[in-house]
Amino acid sequence: MTKNVLLLGESWVTAETHFKGFDQFNSVNFHLGGKPFVEAVDGDEYAVTYMPAHEAVDQLAYDMDGLSQWDVIILSDIGANTLLLPPDVFLRSQPRPNRLKLLRDWTLQGGGLMMIGGYLTFQGIDGQG
């Protein structure tokens, strides 16, 4: 039986300033760090859906029915604010369910949760986790 796995996070944007003598220029890159994991694990035993951090902001479910489609949810290098401050909350001051508490309740009902440390987990850089 195939297990449905959701990988959240493991993506980032880098913005750099390059200096060449008196000249300088900027570059921006988007990274899908979870792609190698998905390619290695996705198959007969596990069906992996990858939701990069910028998509998880407003696409992760807000109710138990939405989470119930997953057997395992993996949080990898994704900060709490990504799940707590979707655009409705951050931009429009509209209340939304607390998805961290929802994940807790989902695990209490048997869901498998894995947290992989990264820069923004377990308090991370500047205590932002």
Side-chain angles (χ1 to χ4, degrees):
M1 181 171 142
T2 302
K3 298 282 186 188
N4 291 317
V5 177
L6 176 61
L7 171 61
L8 295 174
E10 202 55 55
S11 64
W12 62 95
V13 173
T14 57
E16 302 171 316
T17 302
H18 305 260
F19 296 92
K20 308 272 183 167
F22 286 102
D23 298 314
Q24 66 180 6
F25 62 94
N26 297 312
S27 65
V28 177
N29 292 292
F30 178 69
H31 308 272
L32 290 172
K35 192 174 177 184
F37 171 82
V38 173
E39 291 171 352
V41 175
D42 194 38
D44 294 336
E45 191 172 349
Y46 302 101
V48 181
T49 298
Y50 180 23
M51 190 180 294
H54 72 283
E55 293 177 9
V57 169
D58 58 6
Q59 292 181 20
L60 178 64
Y62 290 91
D63 57 32
M64 197 63 69
D65 287 340
L67 291 184
S68 68
Q69 65 183 305
W70 309 109
D71 298 301
V72 177
I73 295 177
I74 302 171
L75 303 177
S76 182
D77 206 4
I78 186 169
N81 286 332
T82 301
L83 304 181
L84 293 174
L85 298 173
D88 282 346
V89 175
F90 188 71
L91 299 175
R92 295 178 276 286
S93 300
Q94 297 173 351
R96 297 293 286 165
N98 182 321
R99 292 185 288 184
L100 298 182
K101 290 181 179 178
L102 180 66
L103 282 168
R104 176 201 61 201
D105 295 345
W106 175 79
T107 60
L108 291 173
Q109 293 181 17
L113 179 66
M114 179 186 293
M115 293 177 64
I116 299 173
Y119 293 113
L120 293 178
T121 54
F122 313 119
Q123 291 307 303
I125 295 174
D126 298 328
Q128 296 180 26

